Amino acid sequence: IWPSKARQSAHSTHATIMKREDAVALAIAVGGPLMAGQLVALPCIPEITNWYTKIRKPKWTPPNWLFGVSWPVLYTAQGVASWLVWKIKGPERKLPLALYGAQLILNLIWQPLMFKAHRPDAALVDAVAMLGMSAAATVAMTRAVEGGKTKGAVAGLMSPYVAWIAFATALTAKIAKDNPNAHKIEDFSAKGIPQPKALKGVAEKLAASVPK
């Protein structure tokens, strides 16, 4: 009887430890991309509100707020998908997670190329690579997991992300085509120079102060 109780206690302790490990892994899988995305996005905000407004964009360009809403959702979804693959705990998870990590790096590179370097052409190259890598990661991650429900969950979590990357790639391609000299467009905020509207306001005030 006693050995049986001891085994039950050991099994219960092991299950508790596994649950804690899974919880920590899930937090890292979701929190990592979210935090990295925020760290990359914050320095780009001045360029988004200034330089990005000056370049030519197609009519089907989404409003800026939509990007801010969509990315946290997509980062969370793909983080959960990567966690489901991580739970396999076997060699078959290595390739899917490697592809997932590679596409995530390409994702984080896109914003600095587009907004900090002002190079839509370079961002387009990155976006095409990201699209291919994210699609490959989705296929590999779906194949790696077992069980119809888990496969469906991984595919369902990753598919919206791949679709969004495809749209972003098309948008980047159009912007790159319409703005071959985007890197030469002045970003007044980056240089600490008042924006044209502000300059116009100052000029109007000066003109009004002149005695007639």
Side-chain angles (χ1 to χ4, degrees):
I1 298 175
W2 289 107
S4 177
K5 289 184 176 180
R7 285 195 297 270
Q8 290 178 359
S9 177
H11 178 74
S12 177
T13 301
H14 177 72
T16 301
I17 293 174
M18 291 299 293
K19 287 182 179 180
R20 289 178 180 175
E21 288 182 353
D22 284 349
V24 171
L26 177 59
I28 294 174
V30 173
L34 283 172
M35 184 176 296
Q38 286 297 315
L39 290 175
V40 169
L42 287 175
C44 297
I45 291 177
E47 280 76 10
I48 294 174
T49 57
N50 290 279
W51 171 82
Y52 186 62
T53 64
K54 298 176 177 65
I55 63 175
R56 290 188 291 273
K57 295 180 288 293
K59 294 180 179 180
W60 42 273
T61 301
N64 290 341
W65 64 264
L66 184 58
F67 290 98
V69 172
S70 62
W71 278 118
V73 175
L74 295 172
Y75 280 139
T76 299
Q78 66 174 315
V80 174
S82 70
W83 174 72
L84 291 173
V85 175
W86 174 85
K87 290 181 67 177
I88 297 172
K89 301 186 186 303
E92 57 270 23
R93 72 180 182 179
K94 290 184 178 180
L95 176 60
L97 291 181
L99 292 172
Y100 170 79
Q103 67 83 26
L104 184 58
I105 292 173
L106 291 170
N107 179 297
L108 297 173
I109 292 174
W110 185 88
Q111 286 199 67
L113 288 175
M114 182 69 166
F115 300 118
K116 296 296 289 184
H118 301 171
R119 295 304 301 249
D121 51 352
L124 175 59
V125 174
D126 178 81
V128 171
M130 176 172 38
L131 177 59
M133 195 67 69
S134 62
T138 300
V139 173
M141 292 166 71
T142 304
R143 289 180 176 176
V145 296
E146 297 179 356
K149 290 184 178 180
T150 306
K151 284 182 179 292
V154 171
L157 289 166
M158 290 296 295
S159 294
Y161 171 72
V162 176
W164 184 253
I165 295 302
F167 173 78
T169 301
L171 179 61
T172 305
K174 180 61 174 174
I175 291 176
K177 180 181 178 181
D178 292 345
N179 299 272
N181 297 314
H183 59 288
K184 296 181 180 180
I185 297 176
E186 294 289 346
D187 184 355
F188 293 92
S189 66
K191 298 183 178 182
I193 303 173
Q195 296 183 47
K197 290 183 178 179
L199 288 173
K200 183 178 179 181
V202 171
E204 290 176 350
K205 289 181 179 180
L206 289 173
S209 64
V210 175
K212 296 182 180 180

